[in-house]
Amino acid sequence: MRIPLMTANWKMHKTVGEALAFVEAFLPLVREVAGVEAVLAPSFTALDRVGEALAGSGVALAAQDCHAELFGAFTGEISATMLADLGCAYAIVGHSERRALCGESDAEVAGKAATLLQHGIHPIVCVGESLAEREEGRAHARVGEQLEKSLARVPAEKAADIVVAYEPIWAIGTGRTASPEDAQEMHAFIRECLGKRFGGEARSIRIQYGGSVKPDNVYALMAQPDVDGALVGGASLEPASFAKIVRFGPPEESK
Ligand code: PGA
């Protein structure tokens, strides 16, 4: 069974104080929620204190990136061992913003995912096509290629430990979400690719949808059989908003 996974990707938002204020307001809102895993991905500077504040709450800690090497002359970078040391259970890798702004390649993403797995951290591997690729009918080819290359170093016995996040670039931060049907169609394709790569293990891999997920559209997305959670940017910055997403109730309950 795939336990739904809701990840708050705070990107470059929140000082330590702001992050702690979020946790204080958020935890009581999700205390009663069962059968869903909630994850917070603050900036590196807030990881330590947020991790302390989450201890024993059942809400997990994630990093927004990680370097593929474990130590060395990589100024400004953070390793998987450093993240494990802070109690990170997850780390996002290959986010489209990092692919676009930092020139991150599929090969680098593959290295990061492999290192994270070796250190007991679940990589959340992001894939997704651009608007031009979708309009030209190349969305499947693009996502299939990203999956193949980004997961190239995941050993079959660790397949169930990875998370894939499908984030169509045209839906990120734009207010434009993929329709539930379009999301399901791509998630089913992703699961098919994972099946070819990992066999039956693919059924255990959680596939999150990301791109303008909000309290009022999460229910319809989560109703799709291959949508196993959400990777949420803008709507995860407010405790009440992200708590509604973690609950993913019908729209009338999300008001
Ligand atoms: P968004 O961001 O929810 O603001 O569209 C999602 C993401 O980039 O992970």
Side-chain angles (χ1 to χ4, degrees), residues 7 9 11 92 95-97 126 167 171-176 210-214 231-236:
T7 308
N9 174 14
K11 309 189 180 185
I92 300 166
H95 191 281
S96 64
E97 286 153 14
C126 302
E167 298 205 304
I172 296 176
T174 58
R176 195 178 155 190
S212 298
V213 174
K214 306 267 182 299
L231 180 54
V232 190
S236 75

Side-chain angles (χ1 to χ4, degrees), residues 174-185:
T174 58
R176 195 178 155 190
T177 329
S179 69
E181 295 73 26
D182 283 348
Q184 167 57 27
E185 195 273 330

Side-chain angles (χ1 to χ4, degrees), residues 129-142:
E129 80 285 357
S130 66
L131 187 58
E133 286 161 343
R134 173 153 286 253
E135 286 175 345
E136 289 160 14
R138 292 191 287 122
H140 285 98
R142 182 75 189 109

Side-chain angles (χ1 to χ4, degrees), residues 66-222:
C66 146
H67 197 271
E69 299 297 330
L70 290 182
F71 54 86
F74 303 104
T75 302
E77 297 291 344
I78 311 278
S79 74
T81 41
M82 294 169 185
L83 298 179
D85 190 35
L86 295 182
C88 287
Y90 294 87
I92 300 166
V93 290
H95 191 281
S96 64
E97 286 153 14
R98 294 202 60 83
R99 290 178 186 265
L101 303 174
C102 310
E104 211 164 284
S105 67
D106 287 322
E108 280 173 90
V109 177
K112 294 175 181 207
T115 309
L116 287 165
L117 285 169
Q118 281 161 15
H119 292 84
I121 299 174
H122 302 281
I124 300 176
V125 181
C126 302
V127 296
E129 80 285 357
S130 66
L131 187 58
E133 286 161 343
R134 173 153 286 253
E135 286 175 345
E136 289 160 14
R138 292 191 287 122
H140 285 98
R142 182 75 189 109
V143 169
E145 184 191 4
Q146 285 179 328
L147 283 173
E148 188 184 324
K149 294 184 176 165
S150 302
L151 302 179
R153 293 173 54 191
V154 174
E157 69 276 11
K158 297 260 188 191
D161 291 343
I162 66 168
V163 175
V164 173
Y166 168 58
E167 298 205 304
I169 295 169
W170 46 271
I172 296 176
T174 58
R176 195 178 155 190
T177 329
S179 69
E181 295 73 26
D182 283 348
Q184 167 57 27
E185 195 273 330
M186 185 59 92
H187 281 227
F189 169 73
I190 291 172
R191 200 169 309 282
E192 192 184 306
C193 295
L194 295 172
K196 286 185 187 144
R197 172 79 170 76
F198 300 117
E201 286 297 300
R203 284 196 296 276
S204 310
I205 300 175
R206 288 174 292 179
I207 308 174
Q208 294 182 306
Y209 169 79
S212 298
V213 174
K214 306 267 182 299
D216 61 3
N217 61 24
V218 67
Y219 178 76
L221 288 161
M222 290 301 291

